[in-house]
């Protein structure tokens, strides 16, 4: 008698299924599993938006999976336990503030699993708790419950204070057999050199515009918007998804109006209007201006084929005529530093006004 197998069972899963692009990292990680050369410590250099978190989660799940292949089947008990955060040999460490409620902690970790490119980022003042590090270490002193790997993922490892980092170092210095620790950080600089030196690096650089565009289209974003966002999000899918709120074009238009008013119309009124913007509006104008000025820079460098405001090439051309290359580069640099300052709660209106004054002074 022939038995029918549900269609879902024929779906072939591939390595690190949820990772977009990053062929090099995926190949490297796949080989580690296939050749049974998984080290004790890996440092993923990249952000959630470039896929470092998605890769770490999929890699860990593949290690715990009870299936034969080196790919997480997504169906066995181990796979379910890992994603449900109740696998005894799998720990996920994330920075929280000291007053976080247990239910909020769990909800945040579930969100990381469900949406590894776009979960809510930890607060700036959150940290990897020393208690969690010690708890992980206690678990690591026993042999693995399920007889396989013991894994610890440390997300936003750069938000680990010295006390927790030093405790972590002990495990890295004397790692138990078949144990793996994956640290994820955007830069290695913020970590203890003694930790970094014990890790093998896996880099997750910016994604290509093509990869982002395909992903956005698959998520239902129309092609023109997807293409614009892909060219302007800096290869970071998180940033790209943040931009899909439907106001990208309005934001660009408004931002250009402010530049236009400053450069060709009523200068004083422009400053009055800038002073009245709220914080979010100021950030939007800033983000828009960055794209306009980058486009002007590209046009001056003879790379008109790479500009983001494709439909508004005439306006990009007008901007490119006003500034020289050095002025554009200096302005883009200033915008980048303002964007950095945003994380430190600097008054964005004042930042924007000082930027507009700089542009005016050229
Ligand atoms: Zn499985």
């Amino acid at each position: 008698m022939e038995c029918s197998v549900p269609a879902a069972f024929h779906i072939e899963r591939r390595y690190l299924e949820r990772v977009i692009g990053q062929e090099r990292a995926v190949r490297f990680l796949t080989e580690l599993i296939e050749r049974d050369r998984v080290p004790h410590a890996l440092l993923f250099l990249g952000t959630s938006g470039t896929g470092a978190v998605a890769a770490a989660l999929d890699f860990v799940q593949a290690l715990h999976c009870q299936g034969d292949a080196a790919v997480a089947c997504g169906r066995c008990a181990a796979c379910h336990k890992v994603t449900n955060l109740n696998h005894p040999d799998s720990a996920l460490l994330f920075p929280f503030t000291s007053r976080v409620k247990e239910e909020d902690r769990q909800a945040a970790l579930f969100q990381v699993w469900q949406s590894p490119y776009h979960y809510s980022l930890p607060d700036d003042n959150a940290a990897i708790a020393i208690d969690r590090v010690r708890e992980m270490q206690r678990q690591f002193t026993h042999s693995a419950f399920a007889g396989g790997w013991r894994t610890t993922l440390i997300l936003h490892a750069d938000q680990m204070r010295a006390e927790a980092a030093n405790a972590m170092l002990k495990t890295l210095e004397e790692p138990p057999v078949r144990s793996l620790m994956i640290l994820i950080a955007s830069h290695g600089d913020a970590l203890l050199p003694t930790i970094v030196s014990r890790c093998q690096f896996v880099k997750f650089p910016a994604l290509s515009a093509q990869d982002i565009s395909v992903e956005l289209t698959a998520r239902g974003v129309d092609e023109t918007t997807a293409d614009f966002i892909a060219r302007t999000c800096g290869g970071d899918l998180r940033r790209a998804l943040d931009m899909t709120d439907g106001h990208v074009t309005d934001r660009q238009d408004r931002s250009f109006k402010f530049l236009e008013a400053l450069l060709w119309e009523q200068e004083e009124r422009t400053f009055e209007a800038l002073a009245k913007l709220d914080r979010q509006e100021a950030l939007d104008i800033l983000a828009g201006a960055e794209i306009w000025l980058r486009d002007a820079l590209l046009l001056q460098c003879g790379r008109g084929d790479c500009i983001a405001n494709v439909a508004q090439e005439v306006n990009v051309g007008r901007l490119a005529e006003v500034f020289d290359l050095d002025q554009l580069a200096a302005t883009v640099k200033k915008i980048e530093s303002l964007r950095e300052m945003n994380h430190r709660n600097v008054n964005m209106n004042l930042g924007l006004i000082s930027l507009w004054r700089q542009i005016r002074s050229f």
Side-chain angles (χ1 to χ4, degrees):
M1 188 181 74
E2 266 189 27
C3 63
S4 63
V5 181
F9 281 74
H10 293 302
I11 294 172
E12 213 173 279
R13 290 173 68 100
R14 65 169 183 83
Y15 292 103
L16 307 178
E17 196 163 46
R18 292 193 292 176
V19 181
I20 296 157
Q22 305 295 7
E23 286 78 11
R24 210 171 155 178
V26 169
R27 203 179 322 121
F28 174 76
L29 292 169
T30 304
E31 282 180 10
L32 289 183
I33 296 189
E34 284 191 335
R35 296 183 182 174
D36 199 16
R37 285 199 185 147
V38 178
H40 288 297
L42 290 167
L43 172 57
F44 283 17
L45 289 171
T47 64
S48 50
T50 61
V53 173
L57 297 175
D58 278 13
F59 188 71
V60 158
Q61 195 180 11
L63 279 184
H64 287 293
C65 177
Q66 294 159 334
D68 294 334
V71 186
C73 73
R75 296 189 301 267
C76 71
C79 277
H80 284 300
K81 279 184 185 167
V82 172
T83 51
N84 287 330
L85 303 169
N86 57 11
H87 194 293
D89 301 321
S90 168
L92 178 59
L93 274 60
F94 188 88
F96 288 105
T97 53
S98 53
R99 281 167 297 168
V100 69
K101 289 185 202 145
E102 182 55 25
E103 66 212 61
D104 293 338
R105 206 181 68 83
Q106 286 286 326
L109 297 182
F110 275 122
Q111 200 200 19
V112 170
W113 270 100
Q114 280 157 4
S115 186
Y117 284 91
H118 206 218
Y119 57 85
S120 305
L121 289 172
D123 289 346
D124 280 350
N125 61 348
I128 306 276
I130 176 88
D131 295 353
R132 297 282 163 190
V133 175
R134 294 209 175 109
E135 192 182 307
M136 175 272 291
Q137 285 171 323
R138 267 196 302 278
Q139 281 183 354
F140 270 33
T141 56
H142 308 292
S143 54
F145 282 92
W149 282 89
R150 272 166 299 180
T151 59
T152 307
L153 281 188
I154 302 144
L155 272 66
H156 305 275
D158 33 9
Q159 286 185 241
M160 188 160 49
R161 300 207 179 106
E163 197 188 16
N166 280 316
M168 188 84 68
L169 192 56
K170 290 204 182 84
T171 307
L172 282 172
E173 280 167 343
E174 292 169 35
V177 286
R178 282 175 88 72
S179 70
L180 167 69
M181 194 180 287
I182 302 181
L183 294 104
I184 304 166
S186 17
H187 307 284
D189 318 358
L191 301 172
L192 285 182
T194 38
I195 287 187
V196 174
S197 67
R198 284 180 168 78
C199 297
Q200 232 175 304
F201 294 4
V202 189
K203 288 184 185 162
F204 291 83
L207 295 172
S208 70
Q210 168 75 8
D211 282 337
I212 301 245
S213 178
V214 168
E215 179 62 21
L216 291 180
T217 316
R219 290 177 186 235
V221 178
D222 71 85
E223 271 183 38
T224 314
T225 311
D227 184 55
F228 176 82
I229 293 175
R231 285 163 180 260
T232 53
C233 67
D236 190 293
L237 185 60
R238 173 184 290 278
R239 210 169 153 206
L241 292 170
D242 283 343
M243 291 166 80
T244 55
D245 56 8
H247 303 299
V248 173
T249 324
D250 296 348
R251 213 150 48 191
Q252 279 312 110
D253 288 349
R254 193 157 182 231
S255 188
F256 187 78
K257 285 207 174 80
F258 272 96
L259 283 169
E260 193 176 37
L262 174 75
L263 295 168
W264 297 291
E265 292 164 13
Q266 291 169 309
E267 188 184 327
E268 270 320 303
R269 283 205 181 166
T270 311
F271 286 109
E272 283 167 24
L274 285 175
K276 285 180 192 155
L277 297 175
D278 67 26
R279 183 180 180 79
Q280 189 54 51
E281 286 174 318
L283 280 168
D284 287 349
I285 299 293
L286 199 65
E290 182 174 8
I291 295 167
W292 281 111
L293 295 166
R294 264 186 206 285
D295 276 358
L297 193 64
L298 284 165
L299 204 61
Q300 283 207 357
C301 297
R303 294 307 310 266
D305 55 319
C306 296
I307 65 168
N309 292 291
V310 183
Q312 302 237 33
E313 204 178 339
V314 176
N315 282 335
V316 176
R318 286 171 72 200
L319 289 172
E321 279 171 17
V322 176
F323 305 105
D324 66 31
L325 212 55
D326 289 342
Q327 290 167 339
L328 282 171
T331 313
V332 169
K333 209 167 171 188
K334 172 142 181 154
I335 296 179
E336 280 169 2
S337 72
L338 280 172
R339 198 145 40 78
E340 283 285 302
M341 280 186 223
N342 174 37
H343 298 297
R344 299 200 295 270
N345 278 329
V346 167
N347 183 325
M348 270 301 130
N349 281 66
L350 292 182
L352 194 59
I353 288 170
S354 92
L355 175 76
W356 250 241
R357 289 205 190 286
Q358 177 178 319
I359 294 175
R360 186 65 268 184
S361 70
F362 290 142

